Amino acid sequence: MTSETERKWPSFPRLPGLSRLSLIGAGVAQASILLIAFGAFITLANWPVIGASAIALAILAIAAVIALALLAPPEIVMRLYGARPHEPGSFEQVDSILNDLSYRAGLTRLPRLYVIPSTTLSAFSLGTPQRSAIAVTEGLLRQLTLREIAGILAGEVSHIARGGLAALAIADVVTRVSQVLYYVGLALIAINLWRLLIREEAVSWLTVALYVLAPAAMNLVQLALSRSAIFSIDRSAALLTGDPLGLASAIARLDSSNGTPLDDLLPPVPARRVPQPSMLRAPPPAEQRIKHLKMLDAPPMPPLAIEEGPRISLIGVGPIAMRPRYRWPGVWF
């Protein structure tokens, strides 16, 4: 299975109406607000040290974030999460489900599927419609039914098809950069303490404090942004599968270990329980999402043909390796 290969699709009609404009517009607005806040933060933090040059530094930082988010291959990010490529044929039902969902969504290239050896229940997607990847945890594949897995995969395919992942990737890069600033801030504290001992001028304590608070500040901005687009994604996923109740069942079973908004405000330490990239997390409560799904009219597409089978392990690693824990760079899964 490869995202670089054109697929020969089955002969049933594609699902109409997966408009991208609303989601792209919302994503661009969110990313713009986040980048402006990030640039303002960089300027404020560095102004006491380098003066007006902090503005130029902020512009360069914003450009670097955009470049990393748009140019970094999905495979690189997957490696950061310990994800391993899923080999076609090891779980044929999943292959068939992803193939059908991609066709129904109008994708011309099949997303590459990765499996993360973790017992948490989580999934996320990266890239563009032309080069995309979907990661799912082994815990999700082991514990959810194929009907529920189809709903989760449909949500990720909807993200890819509607072109909103670039904005979400920018959010994730901002979070990673803010974590680096946090560690720089800790180093500056040590340097300042040493300089105080030898009676030398210390780096501005305002700069130090803002560096240390960078992860909490940037995550607070993200949590303040609207996440109403998730309802649109849920609707698209339900249309792709033809089974809104299957998706509702999956949402109800998603792991409670996903953490809380408070975890996003903690510094990158083992106490945080954030199991996935920072892509404008904290969706609406599961109850609200399920209510919206139950209110949908019957989808125009028939449900996917799914035959439930026994749960199997795709990675085959032991329970210790899969145990949720803190992992660099500031992620818990």
Side-chain angles (χ1 to χ4, degrees), residues 193-282:
L193 292 177
W194 172 253
R195 288 190 170 186
L196 289 175
L197 289 175
I198 62 176
R199 299 180 182 277
E200 289 187 3
E201 183 179 359
V203 178
S204 169
W205 284 105
L206 175 60
T207 297
V208 173
L210 289 175
Y211 273 27
V212 171
L213 293 173
M218 291 298 99
N219 284 331
L220 188 62
V221 172
Q222 292 192 41
L223 293 174
L225 295 176
S226 171
R227 288 166 292 278
S228 60
I230 192 65
F231 292 118
S232 180
I233 290 296
D234 286 346
R235 179 179 180 275
S236 294
L239 292 173
L240 289 176
T241 62
D243 182 17
L245 296 183
L247 176 58
S249 177
I251 292 173
R253 295 188 59 190
L254 287 180
D255 202 348
S256 60
S257 64
N258 285 355
T260 67
L262 178 61
D263 292 313
D264 280 296
L265 301 182
L266 294 174
V269 295
R272 300 174 80 242
R273 293 164 65 87
V274 178
Q276 58 189 12
S278 171
M279 294 182 174
L280 305 179
R281 284 187 300 265

Side-chain angles (χ1 to χ4, degrees), residues 24-43:
I24 292 176
V28 169
Q30 289 178 330
S32 299
I33 294 172
L34 184 59
L35 287 172
I36 292 172
F38 176 69
F41 185 88
I42 294 294
T43 301

Side-chain angles (χ1 to χ4, degrees), residues 30-316:
Q30 289 178 330
S32 299
I33 294 172
L34 184 59
L35 287 172
I36 292 172
F38 176 69
F41 185 88
I42 294 294
T43 301
L44 179 62
N46 291 281
W47 191 281
V49 178
I50 59 177
S53 298
I55 298 176
L57 179 62
I59 294 174
L60 290 176
I62 291 173
V65 165
I66 295 174
L68 285 173
L70 300 183
L71 300 180
E75 296 82 1
I76 299 298
V77 180
M78 292 299 179
R79 290 176 188 170
L80 292 177
Y81 287 86
R84 306 179 189 181
H86 161 59
E87 296 301 329
S90 59
F91 201 177
E92 293 182 1
Q93 277 276 58
V94 171
D95 296 339
S96 176
I97 289 170
L98 184 58
N99 192 70
D100 291 349
L101 291 173
S102 299
Y103 174 80
R104 290 186 176 194
L107 297 181
T108 57
R109 296 179 185 270
L110 191 66
R112 185 73 183 271
L113 184 64
Y114 288 79
V115 181
I116 299 174
S118 171
T119 56
T120 61
L121 304 185
S122 186
F124 60 88
S125 48
L126 301 165
T128 66
Q130 291 72 38
R131 185 179 186 182
S132 58
I134 297 174
V136 295
T137 60
E138 186 167 350
L140 185 146
L141 293 172
R142 286 185 175 188
Q143 299 178 47
L144 269 61
T145 66
L146 281 172
R147 181 188 181 196
E148 292 166 339
I149 291 172
I152 297 298
L153 290 177
E156 301 308 324
V157 170
S158 296
H159 271 298
I160 296 169
R162 300 180 66 164
L165 290 182
L168 302 181
I170 288 174
D172 195 51
V173 173
V174 167
T175 296
R176 303 298 162 228
V177 173
S178 67
Q179 290 174 354
V180 172
L181 294 179
Y182 168 80
Y183 291 114
V184 172
L186 294 182
L188 288 176
I189 291 176
I191 292 173
N192 274 0
L193 292 177
W194 172 253
R195 288 190 170 186
L196 289 175
L197 289 175
I198 62 176
R199 299 180 182 277
E200 289 187 3
E201 183 179 359
V203 178
S204 169
W205 284 105
L206 175 60
T207 297
V208 173
L210 289 175
Y211 273 27
V212 171
L213 293 173
M218 291 298 99
N219 284 331
L220 188 62
V221 172
Q222 292 192 41
L223 293 174
L225 295 176
S226 171
R227 288 166 292 278
S228 60
I230 192 65
F231 292 118
S232 180
I233 290 296
D234 286 346
R235 179 179 180 275
S236 294
L239 292 173
L240 289 176
T241 62
D243 182 17
L245 296 183
L247 176 58
S249 177
I251 292 173
R253 295 188 59 190
L254 287 180
D255 202 348
S256 60
S257 64
N258 285 355
T260 67
L262 178 61
D263 292 313
D264 280 296
L265 301 182
L266 294 174
V269 295
R272 300 174 80 242
R273 293 164 65 87
V274 178
Q276 58 189 12
S278 171
M279 294 182 174
L280 305 179
R281 284 187 300 265
E287 294 79 7
Q288 293 183 21
R289 298 174 66 186
I290 293 172
K291 179 180 178 181
H292 278 73
L293 286 169
K294 290 182 176 179
M295 293 171 59
L296 291 179
D297 295 331
M301 292 293 284
L304 297 173
I306 296 176
E307 296 181 5
E308 293 292 343
R311 305 292 182 273
I312 63 173
S313 168
L314 300 181
I315 296 298

